[in-house]
Amino acid sequence: MNWKTATILLVALAILPCPASAGLKLAFGSLSQTRPNYARTISTIDIETGEIKDFAQDVLLPHHPESVTFAGGVWSPSGRFVIYRAVFRADTENEDGTFIYDRRLGQVERLFSGLGNKYSWSPDETEIAFSQRLAGNAVIRIVDRLPGSVRTIVSDQFNYEPAWHPSLPLIAFHRAQTEHAKPHLWTVSPDGSNLRDLMPTRQGSYWTPSWMGSGLNLVFFHLDGLYTLDAPSDVIEKMASVRGVPLSSPDGQWIAVSTAGMTPQDTAIGIVPTGGGDAIWFDTGNMSYLRATSWVPDYQVESVIEAKPWGEIKRQIRGR
């Protein structure tokens, strides 16, 4: 799919109503406040009440040995699945890997034996894009959720922060020729085709893209704050004078922003309203290494009903 075709579809999608954010919870990574040896964990925060819960300790830890540390928790669009990476102490026999927690079944499965960065789900929840250091470069890869097979779609230069479009087969990311060069925003199709620089004539650095709402706009970090790129018009505008990594809510009404500092004094996590207004910063106590990783959909766990053949059902009815 080329960019013109994607733009036409985006304009059509823009007239459709967007569902409101449900649950209003944000997931983030940090150092654990309760476990020893500087273990990393995945927590959630209620943006209305500020209540913080250690999701990894409460939900994931019972499925792993005590020696594990967690990172990179990203909820799927429906909220049913959570992908994360698990790292074990070097003195154990456990192998590091990427796992998926199924909230409906309450089960954990190893997806593949490798560690990804910045996981991003496809709209249909069948694939996950991520970045990974490989052969001296930083590449963009995709893993299938069911078979767990991994393929590389962008292999040269340094590519980070993939963000799957909310409804189209299109992945945005930032890309630089060398590890310390100034990155630009790019897009690519999931099959590795249609690799495109979104700002070939612009100067400066453009980091960490995130699709907003229906996907007509990208929000990213540039210079002294958060900026947006309007895809159809190619216009860049400043959104807020906030320095940090942006992450748009599914309805596009909020932008989570985080600064992953080494101490509580230079790390923070908050939200910025896209319609204008000041940032709202959360009280995270003495937490450090904060990074917002995902918005948390309000997934309702369905009951698992045992299916029976129709013939058996009819016999039960006749026997009444």
Side-chain angles (χ1 to χ4, degrees):
M1 175 182 293
N2 60 40
W3 183 252
K4 289 183 179 179
T5 304
T7 300
I8 292 173
L9 290 172
L10 288 171
V11 173
L13 289 167
I15 65 175
L16 299 176
C18 296
S21 293
L24 292 176
K25 291 182 180 179
L26 185 66
F28 63 95
S30 69
L31 291 183
S32 173
Q33 299 292 289
T34 58
R35 299 179 63 210
N37 301 322
Y38 300 100
R40 290 181 179 270
T41 193
I42 302 165
S43 300
T44 62
I45 186 167
D46 188 313
I47 70 170
E48 294 181 337
T49 66
E51 180 184 15
I52 296 176
K53 293 185 177 180
D54 193 327
F55 174 82
Q57 178 165 304
D58 297 340
V59 178
L60 302 180
L61 186 59
H63 299 273
H64 293 279
E66 185 66 29
S67 60
V68 69
T69 182
F70 302 99
V74 178
W75 273 245
S76 66
S78 72
R80 175 177 172 176
F81 303 104
V82 184
I83 186 170
Y84 62 96
R85 59 182 184 267
V87 179
F88 302 91
R89 286 203 314 262
D91 60 349
T92 69
E93 297 181 355
N94 300 292
E95 185 180 9
D96 300 344
T98 295
F99 293 79
I100 285 184
Y101 173 66
D102 187 330
R103 297 175 68 191
R104 179 173 180 263
L105 302 179
Q107 297 177 352
V108 165
E109 291 187 4
R110 178 185 291 269
L111 189 59
F112 65 97
S113 296
L115 301 177
N117 291 299
K118 181 54 171 64
Y119 301 111
S120 182
W121 286 88
S122 64
D124 62 2
E125 304 187 344
T126 61
E127 297 179 311
I128 305 101
F130 61 96
S131 64
Q132 190 177 48
R133 295 300 295 261
L134 190 69
N137 294 325
V139 304
I140 302 295
R141 312 190 80 188
I142 290 178
V143 58
D144 295 325
R145 178 174 62 83
L146 294 178
S149 58
V150 181
R151 67 184 187 273
T152 300
I153 61 170
V154 182
S155 59
D156 62 328
Q157 302 188 20
F158 291 82
N159 311 276
Y160 297 98
E161 303 288 326
W164 209 302
H165 191 277
S167 58
L168 298 177
L170 197 65
I171 299 170
F173 59 100
H174 76 237
R175 170 181 173 93
Q177 291 185 350
T178 66
E179 189 168 10
H180 302 292
K182 295 179 179 180
H184 277 193
L185 303 186
W186 290 66
T187 55
V188 66
S189 298
D191 62 1
S193 63
N194 301 314
L195 185 63
R196 181 174 183 265
D197 187 348
L198 298 185
M199 39 198 58
T201 62
R202 292 188 169 100
Q203 303 297 316
S205 299
Y206 304 84
W207 308 79
T208 60
S210 177
W211 295 103
M212 298 175 61
S214 62
L216 277 172
N217 301 302
L218 280 167
V219 60
F220 55 93
F221 178 69
H222 172 59
L223 295 174
D224 57 346
L226 302 182
Y227 288 74
T228 60
L229 170 66
D230 181 81
S233 66
D234 200 36
V235 172
I236 288 181
E237 295 182 346
K238 188 174 184 179
M239 172 185 286
S241 297
V242 178
R243 298 178 62 86
V245 178
L247 181 65
S248 176
S249 63
D251 60 7
Q253 295 183 13
W254 298 95
I255 304 296
V257 60
S258 48
T259 58
M262 296 179 63
T263 68
Q265 289 70 37
D266 60 4
T267 188
I269 187 170
I271 53 175
V272 179
T274 56
D278 297 330
I280 302 170
W281 298 100
F282 298 111
D283 181 7
T284 55
N286 292 323
M287 288 185 172
S288 57
Y289 288 99
L290 299 180
R291 170 70 188 268
T293 57
S294 173
W295 290 85
V296 181
D298 187 19
Y299 177 75
Q300 302 296 322
V301 178
E302 315 100 353
S303 298
V304 179
I305 301 175
E306 181 182 357
K308 295 183 178 181
W310 175 235
E312 182 179 343
I313 295 175
K314 288 194 294 184
R315 286 195 295 272
Q316 289 179 346
I317 293 174
R318 294 192 188 104
R320 289 182 179 178

